[in-house]
Each structure stands twice: as C-alpha cells, then as structure tokens.
Amino acid sequence: MLSYYFQGVMLGLALILPLGPQNAFVLNQGVRRQFHIMTAALCSLSDMALICAGIFGGSALLTQSPLLLNLVTWGGVAFLLWYGFGALRIACNRNLSLADETVAKQSRWRIVATMMAVTWLNPHVYLDTFVVLGSLGSQLPQAARGWFAFGTISASLAWFFGLALLAASLSPVLRTVAAQRIINLLVGVIMWFIAFRLAQQGIAGFH
C-alpha cells in the first residue's frame, strides 16, 4: 500500500507546484507574516475536501454537468481578473510602501474570504482534483484509494505550510519595495494569463 501512498505524494506535488492563485496568495501572506499559518491550514483543508471528493466519486458531478463547469470557469475568470488587477495596481503604485501598509490592515475574515475565493473559484482546482485525481483514483482498488488520497493530502500539507514558513522567513528580503513590486507584477501577470486561458477554454466549450 505504500506504493499507492507515494504515487499520491508525487502526483500531488506535480499538480500543486505550478504557481497559481492559491500559491500566490499563500506566498503573499507569508511575506507579510499576516495569518500565514491560518492561510496555509485553510488551503490544506480545502484541498483535503476536494481531493477526497474527487477520488471517492465526486468527479462524476463535474464531468457530467457542462453548466456547472461553465459557471465555475467564468466565475474563476472574473475573480482572477479582479485579483490580478489589484496586484498590478499595487505594483504600479508610486507610493508602494503606503499601499503595502493599507493591504496589511486587512482583517482576518477578509483574508479568509479571499482564500476561499482563490481556492473554490479556481476551475483548475476542480480539474486537478475531480478530473485528474478522480479518474486515476477510480481505477485503483477500493482498499488503495485511501492511501492514494492520503499521499496527495500529505503533499498538499507539506507544500502549503512549507511555502508559508519559507516566505515568512524570507520576509525581510521580500518586503523591500523593489521585491514587492516584482512579486505583485508577477502575480498580476500570472492571474491574468490563467484567466485568459480559462476564458479560451470557456469559449471553446460553447462550440
């Protein structure tokens, strides 16, 4: 059964390593040292719920409902455009240090709401957990699915907490005006690029 566990770990890392909305948000909270452990924990718990739903049968819900997939896709496009715009606006702000202080005053509940949106309005999360993991998990023996899911969840836990703690430890370097400008610029461009690709997929789905 350990082989199924390590298969889950490797696949989980392969799916989670590319920089996306979740990783960018955890990275930013780590750099600011603002509720970064809470953010990592909530991202991990969300991933745990989605992974279990995908592996243990939830994939059919998404793959058999084009309307639901379209709603998730266009909701994700709108959110990513808004999130990317906010990052680009900070990057282009001449008084970046003042803007960073304003951002740092965000409440715990606003951060929770943003994290939930970053996770649950990101169609790639559903494609990864429901389609990829769901299709692979359905091919495994019933007794092996738990180990496979546990391996994938372990990868998620290690990655999000590792990213948050690493960003927090590098905060003195990454909180400089130049570093913040570069980070927000990269985050904004990546968010808009993902939104553009999702919009292409959504338009293709109409044909």
Side-chain angles (χ1 to χ4, degrees), residues 84 87-88 90-92 179-191:
L88 291 172
I90 293 175
C92 297
Q180 280 293 297
R181 201 177 297 279
I182 292 171
I183 289 172
N184 280 284
L185 182 62
L186 287 174
V187 168
V189 169
I190 289 169
M191 295 305 103

Side-chain angles (χ1 to χ4, degrees), residues 45-70:
L45 288 172
S46 295
D47 265 19
M48 186 185 304
L50 289 164
I51 288 167
C52 289
I55 292 176
F56 296 106
S59 60
L61 178 65
L62 189 64
T63 55
Q64 293 177 7
S65 177
L67 176 61
L68 180 60
L69 183 58
N70 278 325

Side-chain angles (χ1 to χ4, degrees), residues 23-140:
N23 289 339
F25 187 66
V26 173
L27 176 66
N28 269 340
Q29 293 308 123
V31 170
R32 295 170 187 155
R33 292 180 176 175
Q34 185 183 29
F35 301 121
H36 55 291
I37 300 299
M38 178 195 74
T39 302
L42 290 175
C43 282
S44 299
L45 288 172
S46 295
D47 265 19
M48 186 185 304
L50 289 164
I51 288 167
C52 289
I55 292 176
F56 296 106
S59 60
L61 178 65
L62 189 64
T63 55
Q64 293 177 7
S65 177
L67 176 61
L68 180 60
L69 183 58
N70 278 325
L71 287 174
V72 171
T73 297
W74 290 107
V77 168
F79 175 76
L80 290 171
L81 288 173
W82 171 79
Y83 192 84
F85 173 75
L88 291 172
R89 185 176 61 180
I90 293 175
C92 297
N93 194 329
R94 291 181 180 179
N95 195 359
L96 183 60
S97 59
L98 180 61
D100 187 58
E101 289 174 6
T102 302
V103 171
K105 294 177 182 177
Q106 291 181 346
S107 69
R108 180 194 301 266
W109 294 112
R110 183 174 180 181
I111 292 171
V112 170
T114 305
M115 189 286 307
M116 295 296 286
V118 164
T119 301
W120 296 89
L121 287 180
N122 177 15
H124 279 188
V125 170
Y126 296 96
L127 294 176
D128 288 346
T129 56
F130 279 39
V131 179
V132 177
L133 293 178
S135 61
L136 290 173
S138 64
Q139 299 173 25
L140 296 175

